[in-house]
């Protein structure tokens, strides 16, 4: 035990606890330095975790191996794990420690359909053709959070620091499928702050509306039911469910002209019938309705329902809907973001090697993006934009309106990629992702220490949450009481590819890295003409 802690213990015995914190805070820099050293010591552990989850490649709600693997590690290190939370089989909460403050960590674990890709190869080269893959980089987030949590556990134990660490998985983030259910189940009720983290090509954080490129959304599937008949012999006896879907889509396209410019909506037909000579008795379409705030999202959702009902009427079919996902627009906490930013600046960007830069530039060239390699500077914290324009969504938005939260972006991917594609998987089991995850883990651990040792910061974070963020806007879930998590989603897709994917699971007992196991030369780039 360090000398100052012995003194702190003595002071604690003689004086009220407030004085203890005053004593501890002066030693915060030393504890943070210790955290950095410990995260560096776990470098191989972090790398293996990044590679292992990359190799599992599991779609939303089917993160069975990933959850088994991560909870197994956490249990081994003394975390208490509660499985199947919020009615989701692959969701869990892992807890360590006791008392206040309670610090939550969350990051996503699911992957993207058809994004299978060999890591370290700067052109499209799937590991398993057509299979899911980590074409967003969610394989690295748990390596960041678990590394940080194990380091915190060691420091809390060694220095007798009070507080609780809770780890949550972002199940089915790609279909915005879990966080509103987590919130409804009360998972964040006793949590003081949440330190979320997400892969990116920058090292950054944000607060409020951030860069304004975020929307909230509801994701809804409409199922039309008609009547089968011989499509040529007796079409008059049939009622086409596909007509219902087509009329709904046509209706939405006309209505689109008369919606606010801030809306973004898109759909895919998930069932268009079986074969042309059978009038389709069943058909379905899946919509994402995105807007900037709750009332506008709700309004799009209602318009969608109206158009679906009208389409059913026109086609003499019936329709019912299922809400698959929902997300509030994110709003991150200013106080936590400002402290986190200091830690980002202290840690700094990873040192990229020549090979890292060669891979990044070759991939940027291959996909026709701006060729500029990897970022070499952290991103400054900027003022939130006044007029958001909207863009993608993340269901951590629901958490951010229930408890003060930030979202650390750690630099584990290559800039200028399209997102949600094989290209975004290229770096995700290479030294780029390994170094970026180690850097992220340092910031997560340091920011947690700030709030574990300074209760005043927790109070300030809640002050912003209560008196700025939620002063006029109050959280209301998009979920109706009868809505349940779409836990059967992706089941068939996953089962189809599982036997092939299993052959490629990473074996860290035999291979130092996944690149080594696959026999990939790092980096593999196309020969220059
Ligand atoms: Zn994501």
């Amino acid at each position: 035990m360090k000398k100052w802690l012995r003194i702190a213990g003595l002071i604690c015995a003689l004086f009220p606890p407030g004085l203890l914190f005053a004593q501890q805070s002066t030693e915060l820099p030393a504890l943070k330095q210790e955290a950095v050293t410990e995260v560096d010591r776990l470098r191989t552990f972090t790398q293996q975790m990044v590679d292992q989850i990359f190799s599992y490649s599991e779609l939303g709600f089917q993160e069975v191996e990933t959850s088994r693997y991560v909870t197994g590690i956490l249990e081994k290190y003394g975390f208490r794990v509660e499985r199947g939370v919020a009615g989701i089989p692959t969701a869990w909460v892992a807890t360590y420690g006791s008392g206040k403050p309670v610090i939550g960590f969350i990051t996503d674990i699911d992957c993207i359909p058809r994004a299978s890709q060999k890591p370290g190869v700067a052109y499209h080269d799937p590991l398993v053709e057509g299979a899911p893959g980590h074409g967003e980089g969610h394989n690295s987030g748990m390596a960041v959070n678990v590394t940080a949590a194990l380091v915190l556990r060691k420091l809390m134990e060694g220095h007798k620091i009070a507080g609780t660490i809770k780890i949550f998985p972002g199940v089915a983030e790609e279909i915005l499928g879990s966080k509103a259910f987590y919130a409804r189940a009360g998972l964040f009720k006793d949590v003081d702050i949440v330190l979320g983290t997400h892969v990116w090509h920058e090292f950054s954080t944000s607060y409020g509306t951030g860069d304004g490129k975020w929307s909230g959304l509801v994701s809804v599937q409409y199922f039309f039911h008609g009547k089968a008949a011989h499509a040529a012999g007796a079409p008059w006896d049939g009622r086409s469910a596909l007509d219902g879907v087509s009329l709904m889509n046509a209706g939405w396209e006309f209505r689109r002209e008369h919606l606010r410019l801030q809306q973004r909506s898109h759909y895919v037909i998930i069932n268009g019938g079986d074969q042309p000579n059978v009038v389709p008795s069943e058909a379905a379409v899946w919509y994402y309705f995105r807007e900037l705030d709750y009332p506008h999202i709700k309004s799009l959702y209602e318009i969608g329902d109206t158009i679906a009902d009208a389409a059913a009427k026109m086609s003499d079919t019936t329709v019912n809907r299922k809400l698959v996902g929902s997300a509030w627009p994110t709003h991150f906490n200013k106080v936590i973001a400002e402290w986190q930013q200091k830690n980002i600046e202290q840690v700094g960007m990873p040192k990229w090697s020549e090979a890292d830069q060669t891979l990044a530039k070759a991939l940027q060239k291959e996909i026709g993006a701006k060729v500029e390699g990897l970022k070499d500077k952290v991103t400054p914290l900027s003022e939130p934009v006044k007029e958001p324009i909207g863009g993608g969504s993340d269901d951590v938005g629901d958490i951010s309106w229930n408890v003060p939260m930030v979202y650390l972006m750690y630099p584990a991917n290559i800039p200028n990629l399209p997102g949600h594609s094989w290209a975004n998987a290229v770096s995700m089991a290479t030294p780029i992702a390994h170094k970026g995850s180690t850097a992220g883990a340092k910031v997560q651990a340091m920011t947690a220490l700030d709030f574990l040792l300074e209760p005043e910061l927790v109070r300030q974070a809640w002050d912003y949450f209560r008196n700025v963020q939620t002063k006029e806007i109050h959280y209301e879930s998009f979920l109706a009481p009868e809505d349940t998590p779409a836990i059967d989603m992706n089941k068939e897709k996953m089962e189809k590819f599982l036997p092939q994917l299993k052959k490629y699971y990473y074996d860290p007992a035999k291979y130092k890295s996944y690149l080594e196991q696959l026999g990939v030369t790092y980096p593999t780039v196309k020969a220059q003409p």
Side-chain angles (χ1 to χ4, degrees):
M1 194 191 284
K2 283 210 170 64
K3 192 176 151 210
W4 69 267
L5 276 162
R6 276 206 303 273
I7 298 167
L10 193 69
I11 292 172
C12 190
L14 298 171
F15 299 97
L19 285 178
L20 172 63
F21 287 111
Q23 175 69 18
Q24 281 178 332
S25 63
T26 59
E27 296 299 327
L28 193 53
L31 274 177
K32 282 185 177 178
Q33 189 47 54
E34 199 177 333
V36 168
T37 308
E38 287 297 323
V39 170
D40 273 328
R41 237 176 34 83
L42 290 182
R43 210 180 281 252
T44 302
F45 168 84
T46 309
Q47 169 251 310
Q48 286 178 349
M49 210 164 175
V50 168
D51 288 2
Q52 192 75 57
I53 300 177
F54 184 93
S55 78
Y56 290 146
S57 298
E58 292 176 308
L59 291 166
F61 288 120
Q62 308 305 324
E63 309 96 334
V64 178
E65 292 298 331
T66 306
S67 286
R68 201 195 330 258
Y69 167 70
V70 179
T71 55
I73 292 172
L74 289 166
E75 275 178 331
K76 194 175 130 196
Y77 286 96
F79 282 72
R80 307 180 292 282
V81 176
E82 193 192 340
R83 293 182 170 80
V85 295
I88 301 171
T90 52
W92 42 269
V93 184
T95 309
Y96 173 79
S98 60
K100 289 273 185 184
V102 180
I103 301 192
F105 290 85
I106 191 159
T107 192
D108 305 323
I109 55 173
D110 59 328
C111 78
I112 302 271
R114 297 178 195 277
S116 177
Q117 169 69 21
K118 280 185 196 148
V121 178
Y123 47 86
H124 192 198
D125 188 6
L127 210 49
V128 177
E129 184 71 51
H134 272 288
E136 162 107 1
H138 286 177
N139 61 301
S140 56
M142 271 297 162
V144 172
N145 281 354
V146 173
T147 302
L150 295 191
V151 165
L152 287 167
R153 170 192 160 275
K154 192 172 176 185
L155 294 185
M156 287 164 80
E157 217 156 75
H159 298 291
K160 306 272 179 283
I161 299 166
T164 307
I165 303 287
K166 273 181 185 255
I167 310 219
F168 304 89
V171 166
E173 188 275 329
E174 296 299 354
I175 45 176
L176 298 307
S178 65
K179 314 314 191 306
F181 293 100
Y182 287 8
R184 186 169 80 180
L187 297 193
F188 307 105
K189 277 222 161 80
D190 64 340
V191 178
D192 291 301
I193 62 161
V194 171
L195 302 176
T197 195
H198 194 280
V199 57
W200 194 227
H201 54 267
E202 293 178 12
F203 210 178
S204 64
T205 191
S206 64
Y207 65 92
T209 50
D211 64 3
K213 293 177 184 162
W214 293 92
S215 304
L217 93 152
V218 287
S219 152
V220 194
Q221 296 181 337
Y222 293 93
F223 298 91
F224 286 81
H225 314 283
K227 207 169 119 199
H230 193 300
W236 39 83
D237 285 337
R239 295 292 179 269
S240 169
L242 180 60
D243 288 357
V245 165
S246 303
L247 287 165
M248 174 170 187
N249 296 344
W252 187 263
E253 293 305 349
F254 277 99
R255 186 60 185 264
R256 196 191 285 278
E257 185 188 349
H258 310 289
L259 297 171
R260 295 204 322 156
L261 296 177
Q262 292 88 335
Q263 74 83 29
R264 285 174 198 219
S265 50
H266 12 261
Y267 52 84
V268 292
I269 296 173
I270 48 175
N271 178 8
D274 296 301
Q275 58 185 58
N277 64 346
V278 180
V279 173
S281 58
E282 297 294 329
V285 60
W286 185 1
Y287 273 77
Y288 276 22
F289 300 119
R290 301 190 208 245
E291 250 285 5
L292 294 185
D293 55 38
Y294 179 85
H296 286 105
I297 298 162
K298 196 97 204 297
S299 149
L300 283 187
Y301 190 8
E302 283 161 7
I303 296 167
D305 283 353
T306 304
I307 291 178
D309 287 340
K313 209 164 213 178
M314 280 190 277
S315 54
D316 199 6
T317 59
T318 59
V319 65
N320 65 300
R321 65 174 158 82
K322 170 153 180 68
L323 180 129
V324 172
S326 65
W328 265 63
T330 54
H331 185 117
F332 298 123
N333 191 278
K334 187 179 181 193
V335 176
I336 316 175
E338 284 172 349
W339 282 88
Q340 185 166 61
Q341 182 68 25
K342 291 179 200 172
N343 296 325
I344 291 172
E345 279 159 20
Q346 199 177 323
V347 171
M349 288 300 274
K351 301 238 173 324
W352 307 121
S353 69
E354 197 63 38
D356 299 335
Q357 292 288 9
T358 303
L359 180 78
K361 286 178 184 164
L363 180 64
Q364 288 164 340
K365 186 165 179 241
E366 171 71 13
I367 62 165
K370 192 174 173 200
V371 179
E372 54 180 7
L374 297 159
K375 299 259 176 217
D376 58 2
K377 281 190 184 66
V378 305
T379 310
L381 185 62
S382 37
E383 288 269 310
V385 301
K386 297 260 177 321
E387 288 189 16
I389 55 165
S393 313
D394 191 315
D395 59 357
V396 292
D398 284 61
I399 303 175
S400 74
W401 287 92
N402 277 278
V403 52
M405 177 186 180
V406 284
Y407 219 27
L408 169 71
M409 300 284 154
Y410 56 94
N413 213 331
I414 296 167
N416 310 336
L417 305 183
H420 291 181
S421 89
W422 64 267
N424 292 65
V426 166
S427 75
M428 288 316 305
T430 73
I432 296 172
H434 304 147
K435 287 184 249 187
S437 302
T438 290
K442 289 176 184 172
V443 173
Q444 286 291 76
M446 290 163 84
T447 310
L449 285 171
D450 284 329
F451 284 78
L452 279 170
L453 295 184
E454 301 273 8
E456 169 57 19
L457 294 185
V458 176
R459 199 198 58 73
Q460 286 174 15
W462 276 94
D463 183 53
Y464 174 87
F465 181 81
R466 289 200 182 98
N467 300 319
V468 180
Q469 180 183 348
T470 63
K471 196 174 172 200
E472 276 151 19
I473 303 168
H474 300 288
Y475 177 73
E476 202 177 330
S477 180
F478 285 111
L479 304 179
E482 66 272 19
D483 289 326
T484 53
I487 55 173
D488 290 327
M489 289 276 296
N490 293 323
K491 211 167 223 165
E492 280 171 39
K493 271 185 209 165
M494 208 59 229
E495 274 166 9
K496 182 180 164 198
F497 290 106
L498 204 55
Q500 294 171 77
L501 289 170
K502 272 189 172 159
K503 292 184 213 156
Y504 293 100
Y505 283 179
Y506 173 45
D507 182 358
K510 283 199 193 143
Y511 303 97
K512 270 203 212 140
S513 70
Y514 197 41
L515 287 173
E516 188 185 304
Q517 176 169 335
L518 297 174
V520 172
T521 308
Y522 182 72
T524 298
V525 303
K526 274 186 183 166
Q528 297 301 316

